[in-house]
């Protein structure tokens, strides 16, 4: 199992580290445009192998895509992250050009690759990869909902004063502060709906804190987060590599599901060796359906800025 991670920055390197630590891939190639940067990160990570007990071979490359040849899975994290006060949508100008070039270069050397898109604005970048590569829709997956759901569970556990492993919940919709739809009505603590334990105010607090989860971290760190994004990506890569048939909310090309067409947006999907093996249509309340529609309008507006 060969995995390429393009962009050896904060998220790319964190993702490569988690993949290696889980020890399921034979090889991880880190690629970056900055001279020597990916080679340096790869060497540093390889020097943790004996300490952390993994056998995954990590190599680095400065823009030489021949090193990525034959990749089963590729993750695109290249591009700029947001700074405090910025929205993810504001990154489109720079990131669209980068993501398009990277996706086509990857495909030249790995025609059967499954691509996981991370660069922001992620739903629009996932749509762009569809347009730029023509790969089958099951092979292009946007990562956002897995991270947003982890942040949702973190806030749920805080509000409930419960261990994280007791809570479950999912965030669908667009990966943006305004667009995400945390499904509080479906969230549970040990299979019991959280509305049994939390006041309306507390539930609203959980939803609002989840939606600004990325912005809160950007404010604290001066740039966007990397540990949870890297861990979320590694979970998706593992589900595909190990054919786990596991459900994650991912940005997927919709063709009528949830009443939406010609858009990539976060919905629950089953990930296995074929990438997106199924889009799962869960029952939404009228209010949740309206939020999903509104979220889709936002994503479509950003897609309209693309030159495709
Ligand atoms: P970073 O600045 O630390 O790393 C980005 C790397 O991409 C840099 O090392 C840069 O040299 C490289 N790069 C730029 N152009 C390239 C090209 N043409 N080819 C190869 N490499 C290139 O940024 P960070 O924090 O790792 O974030 C990366 C992206 O991921 C950003 O767009 C950020 O907004 C996004 N992100 C998305 C998340 C999600 O849930 N979808 C979560 C966190 C970040």
């Amino acid at each position: 199992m060969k995995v390429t991670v393009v962009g050896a920055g904060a998220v790319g390197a964190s993702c490569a580290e988690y993949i290696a630590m889980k020890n399921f891939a034979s090889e991880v190639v880190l690629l970056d445009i900055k001279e020597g940067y990916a080679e340096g990160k790869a060497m540093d990570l390889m020097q943790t192998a004996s300490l952390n007990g993994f056998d995954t071979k990590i190599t680095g490359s400065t823009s030489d895509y021949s090193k990525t040849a034959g990749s089963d899975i590729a993750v695109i994290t290249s591009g700029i992250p947001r700074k405090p006060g910025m929205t993810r949508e504001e990154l489109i100008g720079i990131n669209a050009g980068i993501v398009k070039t990277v996706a086509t270069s990857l495909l030249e050397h790995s025609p059967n690759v499954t691509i996981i898109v991370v660069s922001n604005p992620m739903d629009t970048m996932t749509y762009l990869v569809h347009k730029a590569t023509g790969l089958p829709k099951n092979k292009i997956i946007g990562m956002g909902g897995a991270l947003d759901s982890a942040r949702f569970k973190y806030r749920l556990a805080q509000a409930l004063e419960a261990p994280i492993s007791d809570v479950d919940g999912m965030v669908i919709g667009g990966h943006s502060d305004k667009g995400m739809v945390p499904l509080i009505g479906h969230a549970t603590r040990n299979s019991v709906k959280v509305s049994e334990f939390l006041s309306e105010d507390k539930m609203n607090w959980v939803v609002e804190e989840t939606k600004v989860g990325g912005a809160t971290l950007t404010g604290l760190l001066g740039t966007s987060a990397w540990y949870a994004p890297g861990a979320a990506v590694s979970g998706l890569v593992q589900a595909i590599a190990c054919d786990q048939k596991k459900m994650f909310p991912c940005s997927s090309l919709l063709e009528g599901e949830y009443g939406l067409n010609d858009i990539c947006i976060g919905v629950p999907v089953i990930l296995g060796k074929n990438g997106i093996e199924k889009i799962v249509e869960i029952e939404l309340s009228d209010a949740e359906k309206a939020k999903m529609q509104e979220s889709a309008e936002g994503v479509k507006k950003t897609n309209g800025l693309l030159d495709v």
Side-chain angles (χ1 to χ4, degrees), residues 5-14 31-35 37-38 41 61-63 65 76-83 87-88 91 94-95 97-99 101-102 117-123 125 142-148 151 175 214 223-230 232-233:
V5 179
V6 182
V11 176
S14 159
L31 183 145
D32 203 283
I33 200 167
K34 242 189 276 174
E35 188 69 41
Y37 194 59
K41 289 270 181 120
S61 158
T62 305
S63 299
Y65 280 86
I76 303 181
T77 75
S78 46
I80 53 164
R82 58 182 172 156
K83 297 279 172 232
T87 66
R88 295 172 176 95
L91 305 173
I94 293 176
N95 286 357
I98 294 175
V99 169
T101 312
V102 167
V117 182
V118 182
S119 310
N120 274 315
M122 182 278 296
D123 297 290
M125 293 302 104
M143 195 295 290
L147 170 65
D148 299 331
R151 290 178 171 158
H175 179 60
T223 185
S224 64
W226 54 89
Y227 293 120
V233 178

Side-chain angles (χ1 to χ4, degrees), residues 38-95:
E39 288 87 337
K41 289 270 181 120
M43 193 184 288
D44 192 9
L45 280 171
M46 274 311 282
Q47 290 169 3
T48 71
S50 63
L51 299 164
N52 286 331
F54 62 79
D55 292 320
T56 302
K57 182 179 159 204
I58 309 170
T59 56
S61 158
T62 305
S63 299
D64 178 1
Y65 280 86
S66 68
K67 302 266 172 57
T68 71
S71 292
D72 300 286
I73 303 170
V75 180
I76 303 181
T77 75
S78 46
I80 53 164
R82 58 182 172 156
K83 297 279 172 232
M86 282 176 91
T87 66
R88 295 172 176 95
E89 288 73 16
E90 286 174 71
L91 305 173
I92 191 170
I94 293 176
N95 286 357

Side-chain angles (χ1 to χ4, degrees), residues 3-308:
V3 182
T4 287
V5 179
V6 182
V11 176
S14 159
C15 155
E17 182 178 11
Y18 285 117
I19 291 170
M21 295 274 284
K22 292 177 180 179
N23 218 6
F24 61 83
S26 49
E27 190 180 354
V28 174
V29 179
L30 264 176
L31 183 145
D32 203 283
I33 200 167
K34 242 189 276 174
E35 188 69 41
Y37 194 59
E39 288 87 337
K41 289 270 181 120
M43 193 184 288
D44 192 9
L45 280 171
M46 274 311 282
Q47 290 169 3
T48 71
S50 63
L51 299 164
N52 286 331
F54 62 79
D55 292 320
T56 302
K57 182 179 159 204
I58 309 170
T59 56
S61 158
T62 305
S63 299
D64 178 1
Y65 280 86
S66 68
K67 302 266 172 57
T68 71
S71 292
D72 300 286
I73 303 170
V75 180
I76 303 181
T77 75
S78 46
I80 53 164
R82 58 182 172 156
K83 297 279 172 232
M86 282 176 91
T87 66
R88 295 172 176 95
E89 288 73 16
E90 286 174 71
L91 305 173
I92 191 170
I94 293 176
N95 286 357
I98 294 175
V99 169
K100 192 171 175 182
T101 312
V102 167
T104 45
S105 308
L106 281 169
L107 211 62
E108 274 169 32
H109 295 86
S110 306
N112 296 317
V113 72
T114 296
I115 297 181
I116 300 177
V117 182
V118 182
S119 310
N120 274 315
M122 182 278 296
D123 297 290
T124 296
M125 293 302 104
T126 307
Y127 184 74
L128 173 63
V129 172
H130 275 287
K131 294 284 175 199
T133 65
L135 269 173
K137 64 177 203 154
N138 58 305
K139 283 182 165 283
I140 302 173
I141 302 153
M143 195 295 290
L147 170 65
D148 299 331
S149 300
R151 290 178 171 158
F152 186 38
K153 288 181 233 182
Y154 165 73
R155 291 301 187 190
L156 279 168
Q158 276 188 327
L160 289 159
E161 297 182 40
I164 296 254
S165 54
D166 282 0
V167 303
D168 203 6
M170 189 160 53
V171 177
I172 61 170
H175 179 60
S176 67
D177 298 2
K178 286 197 183 126
M180 48 182 99
V181 185
L183 296 176
I184 190 81
H186 299 245
T188 57
R189 173 191 190 165
N190 293 322
S191 307
V192 180
K193 290 217 164 148
V194 298
S195 51
E196 294 293 330
F197 309 107
L198 295 177
S199 65
E200 198 73 27
D201 276 359
K202 271 282 180 200
M203 290 201 288
N204 288 337
W205 177 84
V206 168
V207 167
E208 290 314 311
E209 288 299 323
T210 301
K211 289 168 86 168
V212 297
T216 302
L217 283 162
T218 303
L220 291 168
L221 298 166
T223 185
S224 64
W226 54 89
Y227 293 120
V233 178
S234 77
L236 268 49
V237 173
Q238 187 176 23
I240 300 165
C242 304
D243 195 25
Q244 287 178 323
K245 319 280 187 207
K246 214 167 160 179
M247 188 161 78
F248 294 91
C250 292
S251 193
S252 326
L253 185 70
L254 299 186
E255 292 171 316
E257 299 90 348
Y258 291 91
L260 299 170
N261 265 301
D262 194 33
I263 185 171
C264 292
I265 194 165
V267 292
V269 302
I270 307 287
L271 292 185
K273 64 177 187 304
N274 301 310
I276 296 177
E277 302 208 335
K278 187 179 167 42
I279 293 175
V280 181
E281 290 207 65
I282 53 170
E283 185 117 7
L284 299 180
S285 67
D286 287 346
E288 289 162 346
K289 278 184 199 155
K291 282 187 188 138
M292 193 67 178
Q293 278 297 333
E294 200 183 313
S295 180
E297 277 159 30
V299 172
K300 285 215 167 177
K301 208 163 142 197
T302 312
N303 290 353
L305 301 172
L306 285 175
D307 183 20
V308 288

